[in-house]
Amino acid sequence: MATPKHILVINGPNLNLLGSRERQHYGSDTLPAIESRLVAQAKQAGARLAAFQSNSEAELVERIQQAGREKVDFIIINPAAYTHTSVAMRDALAAVGIPFVEVHVSNVFAREPFRHQSYFSDLAVGIISGLGAKGYELALAFALQYSKRS
Ligand code: DQA
């Protein structure tokens, strides 16, 4: 039997506040609720999913490096505010070479100009922005059927 696909979901700063934070942009779903739906969705497909959130850039870089050592197959990442600033997280993703989808709950292109710049998008397999919490589920559906050869 093939080893189960190992998927990692990473959320950056302030996403622990989903559900109470600026609901006009981010809706009312909480991060634990989103993560438990993703775990169930992965399990149903016979995959393993781990979720990580941090407000610290250093911890996020460490977690990406750890994913490289763990041979994670695919990353779903919402770098949050670090999307627009973090060369360090970009470099970590480039270093581990794990394919990833960049997710944003809000439509960053319909917001302030500084949110239109991402240090991740050109390295990402693709981007989902503005579909609310559903964006994570759609990214996971993609990750579950993704193969490097496709
Ligand atoms: C976000 C968009 C970012 O601009 C913002 O800093 C966030 C969340 C989103 O999910 O829409 O914290 O990544």
Side-chain angles (χ1 to χ4, degrees):
M1 213 173 89
T3 40
K5 200 172 242 187
H6 187 181
I7 295 165
L8 175 65
V9 178
I10 299 179
N11 278 289
N14 301 306
L15 291 169
N16 55 314
L17 301 180
L18 282 179
S20 61
R21 156 188 200 210
E22 298 176 278
R23 287 193 194 165
Q24 72 280 17
H25 291 304
Y26 303 117
S28 55
D29 250 333
T30 65
L31 189 58
I34 294 167
E35 288 174 346
S36 66
R37 287 203 300 271
L38 295 174
V39 168
Q41 187 182 341
K43 201 172 165 190
Q44 199 158 37
R48 193 151 57 97
L49 184 138
F52 179 78
Q53 188 277 331
S54 177
N55 296 322
S56 151
E57 187 175 24
E59 285 182 8
L60 290 159
V61 168
E62 295 288 356
R63 189 63 188 88
I64 293 165
Q65 291 186 9
Q66 186 187 324
R69 295 190 294 275
E70 292 170 345
K71 309 244 177 300
V72 164
D73 297 298
F74 201 96
I75 293 176
I76 295 166
I77 186 164
N78 183 346
Y82 289 136
T83 306
H84 320 296
T85 63
S86 184
V87 177
M89 285 174 66
R90 173 196 170 87
D91 285 353
L93 283 163
V96 297
I98 299 170
F100 71 94
V101 164
E102 176 184 344
V103 172
H104 299 286
V105 178
S106 67
N107 179 355
V108 287
F109 300 103
R111 300 181 64 191
E112 303 95 319
F114 69 84
R115 294 186 203 276
H116 303 178
Q117 160 70 33
S118 167
Y119 280 102
F120 298 82
S121 301
D122 62 307
L123 295 182
V125 178
I127 310 150
I128 296 175
S129 184
L131 303 186
K134 191 89 190 154
Y136 292 100
E137 291 163 34
L138 296 168
L140 178 54
F142 177 81
L144 289 168
Q145 59 83 62
Y146 180 86
S147 107
K148 275 186 184 150
R149 292 174 299 280
S150 67

